Amino acid sequence: MSQKDFEITRSFMVDSVFHQEPRPTDTNQSEDAAAQATAKRLGIPYVDLRKCELHPQIIKLISESQARRFKALVLEDTGDTYLVGFVDPWDMRAQDEIAGVLKRPVDVAVITAEQLTETIEKVYRKTEQIGQFAREVGADVQSQDNVVDLTALSGSLEDAEAPIVKLLQTIFDDAARINASDIHFEPQEKSLIVRFRIDGILHVQVETDPRIASTLIVRLKLMAGLDIAERRLPQDGRMNIKSGDSRFDVRMSTMPTQFGESVVLRLLRQDSARLQLSQIMPRRARKMFEKALSSPHGIVLVTGPTGSGKTTTLYAAMEQLNKPEVKILTCEDPVEYRLPGINQVQINEKIELTFARVLRSFLRQDPDILLVGEIRDNETADIACRAAMTGHLVLSTIHTNDAATTPLRLLDMNVPDYLIAASLLAVVSQRLVRIICANCAVPAAPPPDHLEWFKQRVNEQELSLARFRRGRGCVRCNGVGYFGRRGVFEVVEMNAELAVAIQHSDPTGFERLAREQIGIYTIERNAYELVLAGETTIAEAMTVAIGGDSI
């Protein structure tokens, strides 16, 4: 658009204001529809930020504060002008100021306020601020000859202006924005690396001066109530933080390493919506799981590696079982989410408040349903199975590779075979795969080696109907191409044949019968179906397939 055309467009819009063109006021009309109607009335484009490909380097031509103040985003460099999306296209002053900042005329488009806020949160991340505050902390440490004054740090714990406080607050804010599940502080020989785990994958956030590591870790220890003088032994602690409108319970773990203490923070968002079983599990697996949950007594186990979503599945089951006439007790390490109406106990090994000890006390509390966070030892396993035999429904997790071999793990823990056969109702095994970002998904042929691997696991008809896709990377998914994760499941339901195999201590026979029962409904098959539907990639399916990493 030329300068002359720009002035004509601007004149038309000013004219509209002076003639008091009515703005959309129908409260029943959606924000998207109202924005489209405004764009049509003014003869300018409407841009759906969820569907267009945005470039952070273009958006960042104006600062975050300017984007929020003007309620605008720079969307495209068209050569002579910039295309800028405005929530309020009648705001002539904002258009003039942005044109002055960009030193170029602007073409106006309409965007919605909700999409503007979402995009700002994704694009204007805190990486630069983290680096800046880290340099300030480094300068403070250098000026003090690398001596960490623990007394001064303790006394200034509430000093919101201290660079170390700003650094931590910025890190937490950024982690909250992108839904990171963990923050890793890893001291190396020549740097301190901060990494975020997003959808199960670690991403480097910043690398900074290693001299700030000790100061940073002391501050975190103070926040979590740990011993700041102890650097030789691992420690575990907890803290509560607030970032914006979000509240988190934070589990902190320290570990002495060659170059200092490594710290991992697990972020547990307290205000996130709880998922229902219907949102988590495929229909067949859910029906079998719900059948086991409907039993008045017995034990149901959920298995999978760390970070595979076991707790989410159990909490969804608790939500479904939680009724006024039912008493539910849980013992967890830690209590990850607070559930109204359920009595939850935090395990504390330091005072010998163990799973086994709490579970024994639970049986005197007249419960109907018990949740044991994890079966770690033979004593806990034995008590849990006996509780299931005495009229209680028991839910728990256990670490095994798949559903078919889970009862064998109980045998390894020296739980009597008759007790397992009589009490076990079902075993759910699960994994998580990343889902292709819906905002930037495009049809794409898989790499040849991946496709060859996949051909060996599906039939030709399925392959001919497959919708192979990938994510190009966009603002919503932080350029990764994946956004969110989905569970893949398999379920073994105890029956008479399986019970007999357990009673005869026949692990080979039990596993064979269990796999026959599972049939085609395996974790791997669940993942392949997501690939065929275009919801995930072959690379993700390979991560959950047995031997999947060998092509």
Side-chain angles (χ1 to χ4, degrees), residues 15-125:
D15 221 22
S16 299
V17 174
F18 284 120
H19 282 89
Q20 297 183 348
E21 179 75 21
R23 304 188 187 188
T25 57
D26 184 3
T27 55
N28 295 323
Q29 192 176 30
S30 71
E31 190 178 6
D32 283 355
Q36 292 178 42
T38 299
K40 183 176 181 181
R41 182 178 296 111
L42 295 176
I44 57 179
Y46 162 74
V47 177
D48 188 338
L49 299 179
R50 295 167 298 190
K51 297 179 180 179
C52 69
E53 186 174 1
L54 300 176
H55 302 282
Q57 65 272 22
I58 298 295
I59 293 176
K60 289 182 179 179
L61 290 173
I62 62 174
S63 67
E64 179 181 358
S65 61
Q66 290 169 331
R68 292 185 185 277
R69 179 156 56 95
F70 299 133
K71 296 182 181 178
L73 287 177
V74 184
L75 304 177
E76 186 181 355
D77 182 351
T78 58
D80 296 330
T81 66
Y82 285 107
L83 178 65
V84 181
F86 289 88
V87 172
D88 184 357
W90 286 276
D91 191 343
M92 298 297 107
R93 181 177 178 182
Q95 293 170 32
D96 286 342
E97 293 202 32
I98 287 183
V101 171
L102 298 174
K103 296 181 172 55
R104 198 185 293 180
V106 298
D107 296 331
V108 178
V110 181
I111 59 177
T112 66
E114 181 182 1
Q115 293 178 26
L116 169 77
T117 301
E118 181 180 340
T119 304
I120 286 176
E121 294 295 323
K122 293 291 185 182
V123 173
Y124 293 99
R125 292 182 56 192

Side-chain angles (χ1 to χ4, degrees), residues 120 144 306 353 359 361 364 416 531:
I120 286 176
Q144 297 169 14
T306 301
L353 190 64
L359 197 49
S361 298
R364 297 190 289 272
V531 174

